[in-house]
Amino acid sequence: MIVKKLHDAGVRSEHAYTAATLSIGLSLASWLASNSREDIERADRWGIFVGEWAPTFFGLGLALANYER
């Protein structure tokens, strides 16, 4: 079970939630940085690429929180 292995490795739900929040911030920052230097389509792709990590981290956070109970 992946969640058990993550928990045994020391990963807690708070870590996953923090990673998700940072992913949202990084998505915005990468979009703003590439928007000023590149065309709008490429900037959108960078922001979306990084922003897609957030739901995965939130899902892992929920799974870990349920396992921790």
Side-chain angles (χ1 to χ4, degrees):
M1 180 175 204
I2 293 174
V3 175
K4 181 183 182 324
K5 288 186 181 191
L6 285 172
H7 187 267
D8 292 343
V11 179
R12 301 292 178 252
S13 61
E14 294 84 18
H15 299 142
Y17 294 141
T18 302
T21 304
L22 290 174
S23 172
I24 293 168
L26 183 60
S27 173
L28 180 62
S30 69
W31 179 77
L32 288 173
S34 62
N35 192 25
S36 65
R37 296 189 177 150
E38 300 178 22
D39 61 22
I40 191 72
E41 292 174 2
R42 188 170 176 123
D44 287 345
R45 280 184 257 153
W46 268 111
I48 291 170
F49 172 71
V50 177
E52 288 178 348
W53 302 344
T56 303
F57 288 131
F58 278 124
L60 280 173
L62 286 172
L64 285 165
N66 286 335
Y67 185 81
E68 291 166 1
R69 281 192 236 152

